Amino acid sequence: MASDAVRQGWIQGGQGWVANQRIFDAAFAPLTAELVQRAGWRQGERVLDVGCGSGTLLEEGLRAGAEMVGVDISPVMVAAAQERVPAARVIEADAETADLLADAPGRPFDAVVSRFGVMFFGDPAAAFANLRRATRPDASMTFVCWRSREENPVFTQGAELLAAALPEPPPRPAPGAPGPTAFADAERLRSLLEEAGWREIGIDPFDFHCDYGVDGSDGVEERLAVILSSSGRTAWEQLQSLVGAERRAELLEAVRADLRAHRVDGVVRVPAAVWLVSARH
């Protein structure tokens, strides 16, 4: 199951994601469109969205005529998703261990989908097996997960200035540890899915740019908001007690200056690299 640290992180971090859901949706728009196309939901299908967050895929599924069920460990996310997509069923549970058909009664799921919601399992093979138990024979699973940190400036651009201001750099997670890049190793991911009983596994690279120029802006303030609520959140929280208000203001201006210096055609656009994964029950 998700560790206490992971659970608490999403309880706290979920607030920032919800507050900035419009920015996240805009930045991830190319990826979301590709994921929805590959999932190919049909009218009347019952779909489980794992780590549903604030409800982006729930909304997309309903638009396609699917019956959508979302699951998330963050109560903040669950409340936001239910408010945003009232026609979907949203449950607060750990998808690794929950009896998903008991928590969301109905027929077995025709499809499982996830956008960045599967990388935090304590025991990924057990979690993928649990998801498979909730699906019908020949059901599909389609999800997206990050590749390595080295391939993803989206983790570091701007945020590294906050981390560098700490007395000690934040520890790097061990390869394969629960977290954003848990499945950076495609062969390990394939082995976990096979161990869980999934077949016809496809793991394809997909590269895009997170465009933070929302509503015609240059994206600097939008990217800063994302940094403070995701990749730089932990460092920023630590800095609150380590440095004074003046120094914190200086750091934010330094981040803004760095983002302006890296604009592409006048807008903050940050490269991102993911795996698009498909499998069958």
Side-chain angles (χ1 to χ4, degrees):
M1 71 173 57
S3 69
D4 289 341
V6 168
R7 187 183 301 275
Q8 191 60 33
W10 277 114
I11 289 174
Q12 296 172 346
Q15 297 175 0
W17 277 74
V18 169
N20 296 297
Q21 67 180 16
R22 186 173 66 95
I23 302 172
F24 282 109
D25 280 353
F28 293 155
L31 173 62
T32 301
E34 182 69 17
L35 180 59
V36 169
Q37 181 180 358
R38 293 198 182 202
W41 303 310
R42 293 185 293 272
Q43 182 77 29
E45 281 194 324
R46 191 167 196 244
V47 179
L48 176 67
D49 180 5
V50 179
C52 66
S54 60
T56 305
L57 295 183
L58 297 177
E59 198 168 57
E60 293 287 343
L62 285 173
R63 190 175 292 121
E67 175 192 345
M68 299 299 295
V69 176
V71 57
D72 205 291
I73 61 171
S74 169
V76 176
M77 295 285 214
V78 168
Q82 195 66 84
E83 180 179 0
R84 176 178 178 178
V85 196
R89 182 185 182 95
V90 189
I91 56 175
E92 181 187 335
D94 185 341
E96 180 176 337
T97 55
D99 184 339
L100 295 164
L101 292 179
D103 289 343
R107 69 181 192 276
F109 292 99
D110 301 297
V112 176
V113 68
S114 181
R115 191 189 72 177
F116 301 131
V118 299
M119 302 94 69
F120 303 92
F121 297 131
D123 186 341
F128 286 127
N130 192 47
L131 295 176
R132 185 173 178 271
R133 282 191 292 271
T135 63
R136 64 166 175 79
D138 203 41
S140 67
M141 179 166 67
T142 311
F143 66 83
V144 61
C145 58
W146 295 107
R147 296 193 333 244
S148 68
R149 291 184 65 87
E150 290 71 25
E151 296 172 276
N152 275 293
V154 72
F155 290 143
T156 55
Q157 191 173 106
E160 75 272 20
L161 296 177
L162 299 180
L166 295 172
E168 296 183 8
R172 291 288 295 270
T181 58
F183 299 143
D185 183 339
E187 290 310 307
R188 173 176 178 267
L189 175 55
R190 184 181 301 276
S191 295
L192 290 167
L193 292 169
E194 289 174 344
E195 182 182 346
W198 293 91
R199 58 185 178 84
E200 297 182 26
I201 298 164
I203 303 176
D204 300 320
F206 184 79
D207 300 305
F208 68 106
H209 281 78
C210 291
D211 188 331
Y212 294 95
V214 180
D215 296 333
S217 75
D218 69 355
V220 170
E221 293 303 318
E222 287 81 1
R223 172 65 182 169
L224 178 60
V226 165
I227 289 169
L228 297 181
S229 61
S230 58
S231 57
R233 178 177 62 85
T234 301
W236 185 242
E237 288 175 351
Q238 293 178 35
L239 287 167
Q240 303 306 301
S241 60
L242 293 174
V243 301
E246 184 175 349
R247 175 58 178 153
R248 293 199 300 273
E250 291 174 353
L251 286 169
L252 292 182
E253 284 307 310
V255 173
R256 290 185 176 100
D258 182 67
L259 294 175
R260 291 189 190 100
H262 288 91
R263 287 177 297 185
V264 178
D265 296 329
V267 178
V268 178
R269 294 189 178 98
V270 188
V274 303
W275 297 121
L276 273 165
V277 183
S278 59
R280 287 276 172 191
H281 180 126

